[in-house]
């Protein structure tokens, strides 16, 4: 039995979709980020980083989206959600880590500028730059990372639930998927899957 610590509408959606895809036994603990639940002592005891998601597993807690996704894929090898060849696995990790280390932080500058600067003008300037940075990330994903129809090509993998967040980060910055046919087709293919639908429903989306 897994426990997914999540907040609705956040990047926890990726692990949530993968749990549904696997058909794993899990429960959710729903936190409110605006309500500050992620900074409350009982949650900091689970994840001292004070972020969601966190996944409690029979071996302990895992944090960071790419680590959670890779763990779930490797803990359920029969589901074929991660390549076994080292180079192919590294390619999958490279795609997921691009989201974790570049696109998600670029998005975070919209709301979390105060983590990077104190000067209100600097914060405003960072915020202003977010749509351009998200657009640049989307272009790289369209042209280089999303092979189509799935991220890794013909086979659905641990990367797909994470890349489903891309269009949400784009939409939050008023960037349409119209000029991004691979991303648009990926969104449609993801939405057609019962696991995605089940997770979205639990996020009220
Ligand atoms: N690097 C972390 C980032 C997680 C993260 O920033 N989650 C957001 C929700 S999408 C969060 O907890 N935000 C609360 C905050 O930044 O205080 C990961 O990939 O898991």
């Amino acid at each position: 039995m897994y426990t997914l610590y999540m907040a609705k509408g956040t990047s926890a959606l990726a692990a949530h979709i993968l749990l549904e895809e696997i058909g794993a036994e899990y429960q959710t603990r729903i936190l409110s980020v605006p309500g500050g639940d992620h900074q409350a002592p009982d949650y900091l005891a689970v994840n001292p980083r004070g972020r969601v998601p966190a996944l409690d597993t029979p071996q302990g807690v895992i944090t960071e989206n790419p680590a959670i996704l890779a763990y779930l894929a490797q803990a359920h090898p029969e589901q074929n959600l991660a390549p076994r060849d080292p180079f192919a696995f590294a390619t999958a990790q490279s795609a997921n880590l691009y989201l974790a280390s570049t696109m998600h932080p670029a998005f975070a500058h919209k709301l979390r500028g105060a983590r990077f600067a104190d000067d209100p003008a600097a914060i405003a300037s960072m915020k202003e730059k977010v749509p351009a940075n998200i657009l640049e990330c989307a272009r790289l994903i369209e042209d280089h990372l999303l092979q189509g129809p799935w991220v890794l090509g013909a086979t659905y993998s641990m990367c797909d639930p994470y890349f489903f967040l891309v269009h949400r980060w784009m939409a939050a910055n008023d960037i349409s998927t119209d000029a991004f046919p691979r991303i648009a087709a990926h969104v449609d293919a993801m939405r057609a899957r019962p696991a995605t639908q089940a997770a979205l429903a639990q996020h009220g989306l």
Side-chain angles (χ1 to χ4, degrees):
M1 166 73 110
Y2 297 115
T3 301
L4 177 66
Y5 293 84
M6 56 168 266
K8 291 183 181 181
T10 66
S11 64
L13 180 61
H16 205 165
I17 293 174
L18 203 62
L19 283 163
E20 285 287 340
E21 212 47 78
I22 288 166
E25 207 183 323
Y26 74 93
Q27 59 183 355
T28 54
R29 289 273 185 275
I30 300 176
L31 284 74
S32 163
V33 169
D37 295 347
H38 61 308
Q39 295 296 337
D42 58 341
Y43 184 62
L44 292 177
V46 175
N47 179 9
R49 299 172 199 194
R51 303 280 189 278
V52 288
L55 184 74
D56 195 13
T57 79
Q59 291 163 278
V61 174
I62 305 174
T63 59
E64 303 295 334
N65 276 301
I68 293 171
L69 296 167
Y71 166 82
L72 285 173
Q74 292 183 333
H76 299 273
E78 72 289 350
Q79 304 278 338
N80 237 357
L81 290 163
R84 303 207 179 139
D85 168 74
F87 184 82
F89 183 73
T91 302
Q93 286 286 75
S94 172
N96 277 356
L97 286 161
Y98 178 72
L99 297 196
S101 64
T102 301
M103 192 170 190
H104 194 180
F107 178 70
H109 279 68
K110 197 179 175 80
L111 290 176
R112 309 286 178 203
R115 284 196 182 133
F116 305 97
D118 293 320
D119 177 3
I123 294 170
S125 172
M126 279 191 283
K127 195 170 175 175
E128 214 172 298
K129 192 88 199 306
V130 171
N133 286 337
I134 293 296
L135 188 63
E136 193 177 299
C137 293
R139 180 45 60 200
L140 184 112
I141 288 166
E142 176 76 17
D143 294 345
H144 299 286
L145 295 188
L146 207 174
Q147 295 177 36
W150 305 114
V151 176
L152 300 182
T155 308
Y156 180 96
S157 75
M158 64 175 187
C159 299
D160 292 294
Y162 204 12
F163 274 69
F164 187 62
L165 301 179
V166 166
H167 83 287
R168 292 179 49 78
W169 291 329
M170 290 169 71
N173 286 285
D174 296 322
I175 301 169
S176 153
T177 55
D178 288 354
F180 300 89
R182 282 190 186 175
I183 294 174
H186 185 255
V187 173
D188 290 345
M190 285 296 293
R191 282 194 186 282
R193 295 178 82 93
T196 308
Q197 293 162 12
L200 282 173
Q202 291 178 68
H203 284 244
L205 295 171

